[in-house]
Amino acid sequence: MDTDTGTDAGTDTGAGERAAARRMWHLLEPVHAVVYYAPEAYEEAAALGYGTAERWPAYFAWRAAPLGAAGAEETTAAFHSFSPDMVARYVPESWRIAAPDAVLAARTRAVTRTYAALLGPGADTPGVAEAATLARRVAGAAVPAGPLSAANAALPWPGEPAAALWQAATVIREHRGDGHLRALREAGLDPVESLVSFAAIGAAPPEVFASRGWIPTAWEAARSRLAARGLVDAAGAATGAGRELRAQVERRTDELAAEPWRVLSDDEREHLAKALEPFWVAAIGSGLLPGVNTLGIGKV
């Protein structure tokens, strides 16, 4: 797979843009993800009728609601890494509990309440409004790459600055995620192979990826398929070829994710990064986010 579209005489002229896109992803991902773990979000989910003994009923509802009353097959394809059996446990049951429009309204309330709790008065300042404006410009430049980015981009914008920033972060991260799925398909990796190959390079221990619902026999079958391609060894660790393939996937993901960031100047990107610091610090410092995650942030 040739992903080296930004090279000239051995110099990769696109490396800076890819690095900038990855840096902004690292800053924006906690802004987005903390809501899935926040007590305020659990309270809003419980008020709708979702079980909160585990996070998955609310997670599938919050994340899939922009798709409308999507069925299990459509949701599985959009989410990619979850086993079809796991998705089927929660979808379409999610829409029998609450309609997608009601879920989206509750999601916005959950975001607003979460950041009010994390930031206090800092959640409603000119700096937050400015960050939301810059992030919205990037989100507006993100040509939908798949169903999740398209569905989130089509939603109306909330009036509260913190909620608008969260929605922009969500459009941007789902755009990146849809591009990542494209990169995985180009690399010939199916959903479970994507996880096995990611674990093989040390992105996270295999037990962390068990949260995606694949049974052990499916995991082992995927490992065997990767071994037959020379991508993992007998112990399940990535070979040189396996590491190179995953590096190509990450490079391609960053390349696709970089496109909407071109709408901002270098100075504007730096300004946004600075404005995001309180959100990032509050999200990380909350202790709500897991220290090891399936995204491999900080590992790849």
Side-chain angles (χ1 to χ4, degrees):
M1 179 178 65
D2 181 14
T3 60
D4 198 12
T5 58
T7 61
D8 182 14
T11 300
D12 186 351
T13 58
E17 288 187 341
R18 292 196 303 275
R22 178 164 286 258
R23 176 196 177 201
M24 298 307 296
W25 170 50
H26 285 183
L27 288 172
L28 284 168
E29 183 63 29
V31 174
H32 165 84
V34 72
V35 172
Y36 297 126
Y37 300 90
E40 295 77 13
Y42 279 104
E43 291 169 4
E44 292 290 346
L48 290 174
Y50 293 102
T52 56
E54 58 172 346
R55 73 185 184 96
W56 299 116
Y59 172 87
F60 279 97
W62 295 144
R63 193 165 174 225
L67 298 172
E73 185 174 349
E74 181 182 354
T75 305
T76 298
F79 283 28
H80 184 75
S81 66
F82 288 87
S83 84
D85 289 343
M86 182 176 181
V87 177
R89 286 201 297 273
Y90 301 104
V91 178
E93 177 64 20
S94 295
W95 319 131
R96 287 192 281 270
I97 296 171
D101 285 349
V103 173
L104 289 170
R107 188 175 84 165
T108 298
R109 291 194 300 272
V111 171
T112 302
R113 292 181 58 203
T114 295
Y115 275 102
L118 290 176
L119 294 174
D124 187 16
T125 64
V128 174
E130 189 173 8
T133 297
L134 288 169
R136 279 186 64 172
R137 284 177 57 195
V138 180
V143 177
L148 285 171
S149 55
N152 279 282
L155 295 175
W157 287 94
E160 301 85 354
L165 176 58
W166 186 87
Q167 183 161 315
T170 300
V171 171
I172 294 165
R173 71 92 62 187
E174 296 292 16
H175 175 270
R176 179 186 179 87
D178 287 337
H180 185 59
L181 302 193
R182 174 179 169 181
L184 291 168
R185 288 192 295 268
E186 290 174 353
L189 296 170
D190 68 25
V192 65
E193 290 168 356
S194 299
L195 300 182
V196 174
S197 65
F198 208 32
I201 65 168
E207 54 268 24
V208 172
F209 293 103
S211 66
R212 280 3 188 194
W214 297 98
I215 60 175
T217 53
W219 186 273
E220 290 303 322
R223 181 179 286 177
S224 295
R225 295 194 297 274
L226 295 177
R229 293 173 60 184
L231 300 175
V232 300
D233 62 21
T239 62
R243 289 188 174 277
E244 175 58 27
L245 186 67
R246 287 300 317 199
Q248 289 179 0
V249 167
E250 296 303 318
R251 177 188 175 90
R252 180 63 167 150
T253 300
D254 289 338
E255 180 182 89
L256 294 170
E259 294 177 6
W261 287 102
R262 296 183 183 121
V263 75
L264 299 185
S265 67
D266 290 346
D267 287 346
E268 288 172 326
R269 281 199 299 267
E270 285 302 315
H271 195 73
L272 176 57
K274 186 69 174 176
L276 287 172
E277 283 183 5
F279 283 82
W280 189 89
V281 170
I284 298 297
S286 70
L288 295 171
L289 296 171
V292 180
N293 57 74
T294 57
L295 298 178
I297 292 178
K299 298 287 187 179
V300 296

